[in-house]
Amino acid sequence: MRFPLSISDIGLWLAVTAIILLVTSELLSSSSGRLGNVAVEKKRLRIAALALGLGFMATVVMRVFQPI
Amino acid sequence: MKKKMTSNEKQKATELDGIPTELETAKQLVQSVDELQKETQSLKKQIQTLNRNSTIRISIIFIVPGILSLALSIVTESQVLAFIGLGLTFWGALFYLVRPITYVRGSLLSTTATTLYQITDRIIRDFNIKGKGIYVPPYPKEVYLPQHLKGLKETIIFLSQDANQVAPSIEEMATGKFVTKNPKGVILIPPGSSFLDQIEKTLRTDITKMNLEDLCTTLPQLILENFQLAKEIEMKTENNQIHLKTTDSIYRNLYRDENLKSLRLLGDPLTSAVACTIARATGKQVTIQTITVSPDTQTIETTFQLAGG
């Protein structure tokens, strides 16, 4: 029993998700933070995207010090 | 000679005992206000809980299968399940995080503000107000003031009956009266005063400790990023005057109604909030000198004049 994803898998997932969220937060209407019928807190969405981006950077650093 | 109380007098005395004195009435009123405030607070909490519940429910729907999928992926060592689990857990957490604050249509904001200006217009007509509105700065919060001067802790706007730009005496402002005698005029709470409180909460710094240049840089950025009340805001200071330029303000529709005289005296809620902020930061009286609106109401340019402290 072990977790089936490697650091590079997780890194890739984090990078893709971070890009999607960052693009979404940028494309959201600047005046209302509305995307279709869903109202979201644009600022928090950006924070989440940046956190994921940082997570991706962490996986990169891990791979630098522990190359597979 | 002692006079015996007749039965009628006795009845009257008993009735008078039953009538509450002014003090008792005031106490009862304070008590009922307290009760009403408590009730409002509990209702607010209930609404918040209801709002939270719906978002929590959605996030739980995502998180529970996500965690199960992640656990199952460890047992079966399946990459597909692991990705599904990660995705579901992530979106569950995101739904919880980006839950919206109540949003309202911008047009509703200006429509509700119109009533306020119509009421102020009536006041202006009735009291024959001819002067400009003077934003009087409040005393800083940390300064101790005796009970009878507590009224000086809030930003007010004074509308004078004559065109002379003189604010009333401290005593008159402190009493919290609506009508002043010397100089004749009325004291109102500016439409942007509650917005100023919101700005202070968001800014998390004491506005009184900011200088004017810092305020001109920070305030537009803060209003744009946190409140999205306009598309662009520019503020600059020049020779005791502050120029504010707002593009596509949410209150721009107010200026379509040219009959609103008070709008030109007090400014729209956003302009008024900026005037309140300037007054609080500088500790000086602020008047709105000019408000220039482009024909399509897209751009609103306001000039504030600083007076003596």
Side-chain angles (χ1 to χ4, degrees):
Chain A
M1 272 208 314
R2 64 177 187 85
F3 191 61
L5 300 180
S6 64
I7 293 288
S8 37
D9 291 333
I10 292 171
L12 184 67
W13 180 81
L14 283 173
V16 171
T17 323
I19 289 166
I20 291 170
L21 287 184
L22 268 176
V23 170
T24 315
S25 68
E26 283 301 324
L27 290 181
L28 273 178
S29 161
S30 62
S31 58
S32 66
R34 266 181 180 273
L35 180 71
N37 286 326
V38 187
V40 292
E41 185 75 85
K42 201 177 150 186
K43 210 174 173 183
R44 285 185 187 162
L45 190 69
R46 193 168 294 171
I47 291 169
L50 290 174
L52 286 183
L54 283 175
F56 166 69
M57 290 307 292
T59 59
V60 172
V61 172
M62 281 167 79
R63 284 178 67 186
V64 169
F65 289 106
Q66 286 179 320
I68 303 161
Chain B
M1 201 177 150
K2 266 188 181 177
K3 197 182 168 185
K4 277 189 178 177
M5 264 182 134
T6 61
S7 60
N8 270 348
E9 280 172 338
K10 272 182 186 175
Q11 202 183 340
K12 268 187 183 176
T14 336
E15 274 174 12
L16 279 172
D17 284 343
I19 296 168
T21 60
E22 257 184 54
L23 189 69
E24 281 169 346
T25 323
K27 274 181 186 173
Q28 278 171 1
L29 282 171
V30 169
Q31 205 179 341
S32 56
V33 166
D34 279 345
E35 279 168 13
L36 283 170
Q37 275 176 345
K38 278 177 193 167
E39 204 176 319
T40 317
Q41 287 299 324
S42 71
L43 282 171
K44 270 185 189 170
K45 275 180 189 167
Q46 277 178 25
I47 290 168
Q48 274 176 357
T49 324
L50 279 173
N51 284 343
R52 271 180 85 91
N53 277 347
S54 61
T55 48
I56 288 171
R57 215 173 292 151
I58 294 169
S59 58
I60 285 172
I61 289 168
F62 276 86
I63 287 175
V64 172
I67 290 171
L68 282 175
S69 177
L70 273 176
L72 211 65
S73 75
I74 296 169
V75 177
T76 57
E77 293 187 11
S78 159
Q79 270 196 340
V80 177
L81 274 177
F83 274 118
I84 292 171
L86 269 179
L88 286 174
T89 318
F90 166 74
W91 282 106
L94 199 69
F95 261 112
Y96 183 77
L97 193 73
V98 297
R99 65 187 184 278
I101 306 165
T102 316
Y103 281 99
V104 290
R105 281 184 184 275
S107 55
L108 192 72
L109 273 179
S110 54
T111 316
T112 46
T114 312
T115 326
L116 168 83
Y117 290 103
Q118 282 168 344
I119 294 166
T120 319
D121 267 5
R122 281 190 176 201
I123 293 170
I124 287 170
R125 269 199 305 274
D126 277 8
F127 286 89
N128 200 19
I129 303 290
K130 285 175 188 145
K132 285 184 175 172
I134 305 173
Y135 282 86
V136 182
Y139 270 70
K141 279 176 187 167
E142 64 273 9
V143 171
Y144 171 76
L145 286 176
Q147 195 61 37
H148 67 282
L149 296 176
K150 288 279 184 209
L152 297 173
K153 288 250 172 170
E154 53 189 22
T155 316
I156 51 165
I157 184 163
F158 174 67
L159 301 172
S160 174
Q161 261 187 7
D162 47 32
N164 288 339
Q165 300 291 303
V166 186
S169 64
I170 289 176
E171 286 76 23
E172 274 202 290
M173 288 192 284
T175 48
K177 277 183 186 170
F178 172 59
V179 183
T180 59
K181 284 172 188 166
N182 187 29
K184 282 183 178 176
V186 288
I187 292 177
L188 300 173
I189 302 292
S193 72
S194 48
F195 183 37
L196 169 66
D197 295 337
Q198 200 70 34
I199 289 173
E200 274 200 313
K201 267 185 203 166
T202 317
L203 208 58
R204 286 180 192 162
T205 44
D206 192 357
I207 289 177
T208 49
K209 284 167 190 161
M210 286 178 91
N211 63 42
L212 206 52
E213 281 74 25
D214 285 347
L215 193 74
C216 287
T217 327
T218 322
L219 195 61
Q221 206 182 345
L222 180 97
I223 295 172
L224 287 176
E225 284 180 6
N226 293 284
F227 304 106
Q228 291 98 33
L229 289 175
K231 268 199 180 143
E232 272 177 46
I233 299 178
E234 277 176 46
M235 238 176 113
K236 57 184 178 188
T237 172
E238 192 184 334
N239 300 334
N240 236 19
Q241 281 189 336
I242 295 118
H243 302 281
L244 172 78
K245 187 181 173 186
T246 52
T247 311
D248 205 6
S249 164
I250 215 147
Y251 295 107
R252 71 194 179 104
N253 284 337
L254 282 174
Y255 292 94
R256 287 188 200 281
D257 188 349
E258 290 190 356
N259 297 323
L260 292 177
K261 196 186 169 192
S262 57
L263 185 64
R264 309 273 164 176
L265 290 179
L266 313 176
D268 61 77
L270 177 60
T271 314
S272 170
V274 173
C276 290
T277 317
I278 297 167
R280 187 169 280 187
T282 55
K284 290 178 179 175
Q285 291 166 10
V286 176
T287 47
I288 295 175
Q289 284 299 103
T290 52
I291 298 181
T292 318
V293 188
S294 66
D296 58 351
T297 66
Q298 196 75 19
T299 317
I300 303 157
E301 286 181 59
T302 316
T303 309
F304 302 100
Q305 176 74 48
L306 287 176

